[in-house]
Amino acid sequence: MSVTSYPGGPSPSPSPALKPRSKGRTFFGIAIIVCAVLGLLLTLAFGWSIFFDRATTYNRAYEPVAWRNEPADKIFPDELSAYDGTSSATDRKQQMSWVRAGIAQDTSCASGLDGKALQTASAHDCKAVLRATYVDALNSQVATVALVVLGDTAQDEYGSTPNGPLADAISESGDGRDGTLHAPKVAYSVRAYGVKGTPAANWTDSRRNASAAKVSGDNYVIAVTAGATDGRLAARLPAPWNSYGVQAPNVKDRSTYTEAAKGLTESEIMGSIYDKDDE
């Protein structure tokens, strides 16, 4: 660009050339940006690690009191996926879907258990029995799922806590069999909780067909009793159609309901609280 001069006036000075930015200042600016980005990433990573650790790490101290602090719909989800009678422990493709009909308000041990189960639980400082009733996807079966909370967690000489024998007693007698396969002796254990306005409206203790239970943690037992929504009761089936064979001619076949109850004990009841790696 040329510079124009006017007569009688001073000649304008040309504009000074811009000085190039020094390499040191450029490097310093880049370094500040990199440090800021790294600091932000480290902060986010640290925060995420804390959140993830709190969300997934098993906390042994929290487990005994989790039942008091977790929301009811987290202990008993809206829907459960349980094994059906044909599923193996490693194959979850065949599952039965159960929908929650309602959650019982009374959490006392006497309202949730009966018979020998109540006696055994009471002898080991039963704190509460939380219950929810579920109906299967076909509205044909109904089940009350219970979370039994024991305060006594003292181990015996074999390292077993009291919730183990309680779960074993419920499971062994809940299918209507004894050791000889002849006595129709049943200990349903979990009291049915009926829910008005649902397919479980008429669900009562007299309609229970089978029970099952499983130890969960040190002081919990997941126990389930199951039956039919229309009130049908288990009946004797002649061989070869019954599940117990010709050696059990007088035993009522409860296998359908037993498998349903067992499947629900394997569902995600309280799963997010204690089914984590102890790290």
Side-chain angles (χ1 to χ4, degrees):
M1 177 179 180
S2 61
V3 179
T4 304
S5 299
Y6 296 94
S11 299
S13 302
S15 301
L18 296 176
K19 295 182 179 180
R21 183 184 296 271
S22 65
K23 294 182 178 179
R25 292 178 61 187
T26 301
F27 176 79
F28 183 70
I30 294 175
I32 291 177
I33 295 174
V34 171
C35 290
V37 172
L38 288 176
L40 178 61
L41 291 176
L42 289 173
T43 301
L44 292 174
F46 181 70
W48 173 251
S49 66
I50 292 177
F51 171 79
F52 187 77
D53 184 68
R54 290 182 62 186
T56 61
T57 300
Y58 168 55
N59 187 338
R60 185 174 296 277
Y62 180 62
E63 178 188 323
V65 297
W67 67 276
R68 291 185 181 275
N69 297 280
E70 294 298 321
D73 59 356
K74 187 172 183 181
I75 296 175
F76 298 114
D78 293 340
E79 186 174 338
L80 293 175
S81 294
Y83 295 127
D84 63 18
T86 61
S87 298
S88 66
T90 57
D91 182 8
R92 299 198 175 199
K93 292 181 180 180
Q94 294 182 342
Q95 293 180 325
M96 294 180 66
S97 179
W98 295 74
V99 178
R100 191 185 68 208
I103 299 175
Q105 299 297 306
D106 192 342
T107 61
S108 66
C109 298
S111 67
L113 299 176
D114 61 9
K116 185 177 179 180
L118 177 59
Q119 297 175 6
T120 303
S122 298
H124 294 285
D125 190 21
C126 182
K127 296 292 187 183
V129 177
L130 313 182
R131 290 177 300 156
T133 292
Y134 288 82
V135 178
D136 72 357
L138 300 177
N139 288 341
S140 63
Q141 293 191 69
V142 59
T144 294
V145 181
L147 183 71
V148 184
V149 186
L150 298 184
D152 182 6
T153 59
Q155 296 184 354
D156 61 18
E157 58 182 320
Y158 304 105
S160 299
T161 53
N163 59 346
L166 174 59
D168 291 341
I170 295 172
S171 297
E172 289 170 0
S173 57
D175 61 359
R177 298 185 294 173
D178 67 358
T180 62
L181 297 179
H182 285 283
K185 183 179 179 181
V186 179
Y188 297 111
S189 306
V190 178
R191 302 195 66 179
Y193 172 61
V195 185
K196 294 181 179 180
T198 73
N202 297 319
W203 175 227
T204 62
D205 289 348
S206 62
R207 294 187 169 192
R208 296 176 294 181
N209 277 326
S211 295
K214 185 187 84 166
V215 168
S216 190
D218 290 335
N219 61 325
Y220 296 113
V221 170
I222 297 175
V224 181
T225 189
T229 53
D230 61 5
R232 282 177 294 170
L233 297 178
R236 183 184 66 83
L237 293 177
W241 295 279
N242 69 60
S243 300
Y244 309 133
V246 295
Q247 295 83 7
N250 298 317
V251 177
K252 295 180 179 180
D253 196 326
R254 306 176 188 273
S255 58
T256 298
Y257 305 102
T258 300
E259 290 301 326
K262 287 180 179 179
L264 283 168
T265 64
E266 299 292 338
S267 60
E268 294 298 320
I269 299 296
M270 285 278 282
S272 60
I273 306 303
Y274 47 78
D275 288 342
K276 302 295 180 184
D277 293 333
D278 190 1
E279 298 178 351

